[in-house]
Amino acid sequence: MYQPDSFEKEFYQSRANQFANQVKRYLDGNLDADVFQQLRLRNGLYVERYSPMIRVAIPYGQLNSEQLRALADIADRYDRSYGHFTTRQNIQFNWVTIEDSPNLLRDLAKVGMHAIQTSGSCVRNITTDHLAGISSDEMVDPRPWCELIRQWSTLHPEFYWLPRKFKIAISGSIEDRAAVRFHDIGIELYRGPANQTLARILVGGGMGRTPVIGKVLKESQPAKNLLAWLQAIIHVYNKHGRRDNKYKARIKILVNDRGIDRFQKEVEGVYQKYFELQGEWDEKRFIDIENSFAPPRLDDHAVPTNIIPVHSNHFLKWRETNTETHQDPDRVIVQLPLKAKGVAPGDMDSENMRNLADIADYYSGGEIRVTHRQNLVLPWVHRKHLHAIWQHLDEIQLATPNLGMLTDSIVCPGLDYCSLANASTIPVIKELGVAIDDLDRIHDIGKISLKMSGCMNACGHHHAADIGVLGVDKKGKEWYQITLGGDAGKEACIGERVGPAISRQQIVGAILNILDTYLDIRESGESFGKCFRRVGVKPYQEKLYADHKKSRNHADRVAA
Amino acid sequence: MQIIKNREIMQTEWLPDQPIQHMNSRRQILALDTWLEQLDFYRTSKRREALPGVMLQPDENLELLKEWLTKIPVIAINVENFSDGRVYSLAFELRQFHHYAGEIRAIGAVYDNLSMMEQCGFDAFVLREGLSVEEAIGYFSEIEFDYSLRTPVPLAD
Ligand code: HEM
Ligand code: SF4
């Protein structure tokens, strides 16, 4: 896997020192608050509801065990001994102080990590398929391209002050696991007839209060011209994106205002100029980057042959649910949902980070991946170790067999941490977990995506979920809007609203109601998405609001 | 007036928006509309070898200036707002797309970001009032390192 070199570690150190100086000037009253705000955001430091929070980049979701241990140390030293993995392959520490933050960044730098451009109006952490380089449906390994774009976009002098945040995602497989259609720029890599790497470039996708599916800007471009395309797109956006209204500042608004055709023409004009400026493609340097993603050297420790493991139902269920086929037939992809019962989705405590780092060292070449579904992956597990690793994972509650199922939900921090939230999210999901505490029932429902955001900023991707839940504010009370039938993959679509918002008391019941309707009407083996496309929103609506009315009448009568 | 030019502190004679009696002084920076209005006069005036400097706003379109660029000694860009990235693209266009070789001066809300501005083509800086010029010289070298040097696409020379 890509290992940051000493050159990079020094860079991150100098960046942390620069920030230390800015913090000092701010605290001494020598730096204006609005300027300091912009500077701190570009170092990942937010000031949230109860405390400052720092967001650390995990570029394209890849971590080594040393880095995971460092995150554990940071959680102990600066936070309350846990961290929160997000949907954009970052980890957030929710309880830090402004004064401590430069030292936190220095500790990160020692292991080649940083928080540069994890917030603020600039190019954010580049995300990709968490199964890159290991999945069985891969056409092009996107990681070297991610790395190239990461280097290019880090402190890019021209594009450090964009109208708004800018998110880039890349995928190189048949199935899109990176939600490229919901990004400011989405890139799909594939092979041309001569086996060359080609790129499809999509632009103007995004969630937030105006969800939009990205539009194709260019097909079949040689991937080695990607940077020139990115510069051209972002140059046009930097110049013409709206800066007067932050709700209309994303590139999707610019693309929609101009229309994709006009936008494309404008970009093409600028592209020519960047293309001419671009030096000769440095093949050697790119190959160096590619080589840094070679599989790790794996020590496949022998397994004692005289012990025949008892394959309990538990193990079999886990194997069926949480593991996937690997490119290498000797290996298995092991998924670790961070969704055990009673835990906030995506949270992990420092002790488990260290436990997992040890497991990764022994079984997975020291590598861990972070997924956009707020889960982790061990990418290099040998088939023969499956039973042993399951036991270790089960001990530390990382073997809940619910990958891709109802309780493997994506949830933003909501009212528990976020100052923008309208409604709580984590408590709702915890309640739902208690209400449906039956693995057989969850397996009977099968694969389904439930995603929840605490406000219309849509950090929880609720637009792109089978069942999306959005927190809304009604006269200071928490209410929830339900949408159905969204999808983040190649068939990207935005969920459809079921009806009027539901109260905090009734939201868990409403989700259960929708699940019941689905179980009633689905044909054998039919996924939620497929079923929804067949029947539409109506049956859900009718059942939900009929039952809802009944229970309301009941409540009224009880109250009376 | 004190400015930072090529990473050194120096005095400048080029001053923005002189009152009209200084019209014949050689070292003026005029707002673009004034500049365009008076272009013909300066162009035919025997008393000057170069045109006056011009002051651009972040959203200015360079088409109007294009053919005069080789004769303009100073272009000042007004950084109205610290976080307005358009000024970076404007300087970049001047240097890279139009090969402008004169001074590009940042004025207005100029704070910490001198190094990135320099990489985009700014070579002169008038700091926002109240900031220490001596301290600001240090901002250039806070981060010596720059990934763009390692990417196959060069950004600025
Ligand atoms: C608690 C602090 C957070 C704040 C203040 C915050 C703020 C925001 C805002 C304002 C937007 C809307 C941007 C726009 O539409 O222009 C947004 C979008 C988004 N946020 Fe957050 N967020 C926070 C935490 C998170 C977390 C924990 C995650 C991951 C679980 C996350 C992932 C995202 C994603 C994926 C979007 C996508 C929407 C898009 O890019 O169109 N955010 N966030
Ligand atoms: S969706 Fe809203 S509530 Fe949730 S994290 Fe984003 S901004 Fe906060």
Side-chain angles (χ1 to χ4, degrees):
Chain A
M1 68 186 278
Y2 183 83
Q3 302 285 359
D5 51 22
S6 58
F7 164 79
E8 250 169 321
K9 290 181 182 168
E10 266 168 46
F11 162 43
Y12 299 149
Q13 262 329 321
S14 61
R15 172 77 172 185
N17 294 339
Q18 176 191 47
F19 187 56
N21 184 28
Q22 290 162 347
V23 168
K24 183 172 179 310
R25 281 161 60 209
Y26 167 68
L27 294 174
D28 292 346
N30 294 327
L31 187 57
D32 297 354
D34 57 330
V35 175
F36 177 68
Q37 182 194 31
Q38 294 302 318
L39 297 174
R40 69 163 161 78
L41 284 177
R42 283 161 182 77
N43 286 292
L45 186 62
Y46 280 81
V47 177
E48 277 311 316
R49 184 171 285 266
Y50 302 111
S51 156
M53 171 278 272
I54 205 156
R55 181 183 290 158
V56 176
I58 302 173
Y60 32 88
Q62 199 176 275
L63 270 179
N64 63 40
S65 51
E66 185 203 8
Q67 291 171 328
L68 188 55
R69 286 189 190 96
L71 292 176
D73 292 345
I74 284 171
D76 285 342
R77 200 169 301 147
Y78 304 101
D79 199 313
R80 300 181 179 175
S81 292
Y82 69 96
H84 177 76
F85 288 99
T86 81
T87 56
R88 295 210 74 259
Q89 301 181 315
N90 296 307
I91 182 168
Q92 294 184 178
F93 293 105
N94 286 312
W95 305 100
V96 302
T97 64
I98 295 181
E99 292 79 356
D100 276 350
S101 57
N103 282 335
L104 191 162
L105 295 176
R106 288 183 177 120
D107 287 355
L108 281 177
K110 289 182 198 144
V111 291
M113 296 184 81
H114 65 84
I116 300 170
Q117 289 168 228
T118 55
S119 61
S121 299
C122 51
V123 180
R124 300 289 188 87
N125 190 30
I126 313 297
T127 54
T128 191
D129 186 348
H130 47 273
L131 304 186
I134 53 174
S135 75
S136 51
D137 67 341
E138 187 160 278
M139 299 173 282
V140 177
D141 183 349
R143 292 171 303 167
W145 298 99
C146 290
E147 174 56 20
L148 184 74
I149 294 171
R150 183 188 75 81
Q151 293 189 11
W152 163 80
S153 64
T154 301
L155 304 196
H156 192 296
E158 193 189 342
F159 305 134
Y160 198 62
W161 306 94
L162 300 174
R164 198 82 175 85
K165 58 172 83 166
F166 203 90
K167 300 178 179 179
I168 302 176
I170 312 181
S171 153
S173 50
I174 310 257
E175 189 192 333
D176 173 5
R177 285 174 290 261
V180 300
R181 280 166 181 74
F182 283 108
H183 282 75
D184 296 282
I185 293 182
I187 298 167
E188 285 180 336
L189 298 170
Y190 52 98
R191 298 265 175 215
N195 207 34
Q196 74 277 41
T197 306
L198 297 178
R200 175 178 305 116
I201 304 169
L202 297 110
V203 68
M207 312 231 188
R209 57 184 67 211
T210 333
V212 181
I213 293 167
K215 299 172 183 66
V216 176
L217 183 92
K218 277 282 154 190
E219 285 278 359
S220 334
Q221 291 301 307
K224 61 185 182 185
N225 295 337
L226 262 177
L227 292 187
W229 280 115
L230 295 185
Q231 312 201 79
I233 295 167
I234 303 178
H235 180 88
V236 171
Y237 170 58
N238 191 35
K239 291 201 66 175
H240 303 295
R242 283 182 65 172
R243 289 173 188 269
D244 59 332
N245 178 345
K246 77 172 187 174
Y247 300 121
K248 301 207 181 303
R250 295 289 290 270
I251 195 174
K252 61 192 172 192
I253 305 289
L254 180 68
V255 173
N256 281 354
D257 281 355
R258 303 207 164 196
I260 183 72
D261 294 334
R262 187 176 147 210
F263 182 78
Q264 183 188 351
K265 284 226 169 60
E266 218 164 325
V267 168
E268 280 169 351
V270 180
Y271 170 78
Q272 273 316 321
K273 298 184 184 168
Y274 278 102
F275 185 78
E276 285 154 23
L277 284 177
Q278 156 177 290
E280 206 43 35
W281 168 251
D282 189 346
E283 184 72 25
K284 190 188 156 302
R285 211 176 82 69
F286 187 72
I287 290 175
D288 283 348
I289 295 181
E290 271 185 330
N291 289 341
S292 65
F293 288 97
R297 250 220 265 134
L298 297 165
D299 178 2
D300 289 325
H301 318 276
V303 181
T305 47
N306 54 349
I307 301 173
I308 299 164
V310 187
H311 283 186
S312 62
N313 274 344
H314 238 77
F315 167 73
L316 293 174
K317 193 166 245 170
W318 171 81
R319 188 174 69 182
E320 181 195 314
T321 314
N322 287 16
T323 69
E324 283 179 66
T325 315
H326 200 289
Q327 273 176 18
D328 175 348
D330 284 340
R331 297 191 185 279
V332 184
I333 297 168
V334 174
Q335 298 254 14
L336 319 173
L338 299 180
K339 312 287 168 63
K341 197 176 69 178
V343 178
D347 274 7
M348 191 174 215
D349 64 27
S350 55
E351 195 181 320
N352 250 7
M353 290 184 202
R354 292 191 186 97
N355 286 332
L356 182 61
D358 289 349
I359 294 173
D361 274 339
Y362 195 82
Y363 291 106
S364 184
E367 185 178 333
I368 303 106
R369 302 271 180 93
V370 181
T371 86
H372 93 273
R373 307 192 45 106
Q374 300 181 289
N375 294 329
L376 302 179
V377 170
L378 290 173
W380 303 105
V381 178
H382 198 284
R383 206 162 265 294
K384 67 187 177 188
H385 292 144
L386 261 189
H387 193 266
I389 201 171
W390 168 71
Q391 289 173 313
H392 289 302
L393 293 173
D394 197 37
E395 247 170 63
I396 58 172
Q397 289 206 319
L398 289 178
T400 314
N402 63 349
L403 186 86
M405 303 202 166
L406 183 72
T407 45
D408 178 15
S409 18
I410 296 181
V411 178
C412 86
L415 265 189
D416 289 23
Y417 302 102
C418 180
S419 42
L420 306 176
N422 291 326
S424 45
T425 49
I426 294 168
V428 173
I429 288 298
K430 284 186 180 166
E431 270 172 45
L432 180 71
V434 172
I436 196 162
D437 184 19
D438 175 356
L439 262 179
D440 289 330
R441 194 158 156 220
I442 288 168
H443 275 252
D444 183 37
I445 299 166
K447 298 267 174 195
I448 193 164
S449 62
L450 171 68
K451 306 183 188 177
M452 187 161 187
S453 308
C455 78
M456 70 262 250
N457 286 317
C459 301
H461 295 192
H462 65 273
H463 299 298
D466 290 328
I467 303 176
V469 181
L470 160 68
V472 290
D473 173 282
K474 270 200 193 177
K475 303 202 184 101
K477 289 232 161 62
E478 300 168 60
W479 287 71
Y480 299 87
Q481 188 65 255
I482 300 180
T483 48
L484 299 178
D487 189 330
K490 287 222 161 126
E491 309 291 325
C493 60
I494 293 163
E496 201 175 319
R497 195 185 279 195
V498 191
I502 309 270
S503 70
R504 174 74 180 84
Q505 290 72 34
Q506 291 180 305
I507 182 62
V508 170
I511 296 169
L512 295 173
N513 183 299
I514 282 166
L515 291 168
D516 286 342
T517 309
Y518 166 55
L519 293 183
D520 269 356
I521 58 180
R522 76 168 165 197
E523 285 168 359
S524 149
E526 197 177 38
S527 71
F528 190 94
K530 219 163 156 197
C531 176
F532 185 81
R533 282 190 290 279
R534 176 170 62 83
V535 302
V537 76
K538 205 125 187 240
Y540 294 97
Q541 206 167 45
E542 279 165 5
K543 179 100 182 350
L544 178 62
Y545 291 97
D547 289 359
H548 197 62
K549 210 161 150 194
K550 248 188 272 161
S551 75
R552 261 227 315 264
N553 288 344
H554 178 69
D556 289 348
R557 250 178 286 130
V558 173
Chain B
M1 185 168 61
Q2 219 176 25
I3 64 166
I4 298 174
K5 172 98 189 250
N6 297 325
R7 299 195 178 194
E8 281 174 22
I9 302 170
M10 56 175 65
Q11 292 294 325
T12 179
E13 293 169 13
W14 287 92
L15 299 176
D17 283 336
Q18 288 297 291
I20 203 75
Q21 65 261 37
H22 288 261
M23 195 173 69
N24 288 330
S25 121
R26 297 193 167 192
R27 308 206 179 283
Q28 300 179 75
I29 299 176
L30 304 177
L32 181 62
D33 46 0
T34 319
W35 189 91
L36 288 167
E37 217 171 76
Q38 303 186 2
L39 176 62
D40 215 42
F41 166 77
Y42 287 117
R43 216 155 43 96
T44 50
S45 162
K46 300 274 182 296
R47 307 222 305 268
R48 11 169 100 242
E49 59 280 18
L51 296 172
V54 60
M55 165 96 98
L56 301 181
Q57 300 305 319
D59 60 351
E60 224 93 71
N61 184 344
L62 294 176
E63 287 306 304
L64 295 168
L65 277 184
K66 219 161 87 183
E67 55 182 308
W68 306 110
L69 284 176
T70 51
K71 300 213 173 62
I72 304 176
V74 177
I75 295 179
I77 297 180
N78 180 24
V79 186
E80 240 169 356
N81 180 331
F82 172 71
S83 57
D84 188 341
R86 289 176 297 181
V87 300
Y88 294 76
S89 283
L90 202 55
F92 183 86
E93 285 184 1
L94 279 167
R95 289 280 188 244
Q96 300 294 334
F97 297 172
H98 301 290
H99 312 292
Y100 175 65
E103 175 179 312
I104 304 183
R105 179 187 297 187
I107 67 165
V110 181
Y111 285 81
D112 282 58
N113 249 51
L114 307 187
S115 166
M116 285 187 167
M117 293 189 130
E118 187 184 51
Q119 290 175 65
C120 286
F122 287 96
D123 55 357
F125 306 87
V126 181
L127 291 188
R128 212 206 82 142
E129 232 174 297
L131 295 190
S132 147
V133 189
E134 287 75 20
E135 196 180 317
I137 290 280
Y139 299 161
F140 286 103
S141 44
E142 278 176 329
I143 291 181
E144 287 293 3
F145 155 91
D146 160 21
Y147 272 119
S148 55
L149 299 175
R150 302 212 298 177
T151 64
V153 177
L155 282 160
D157 357 85

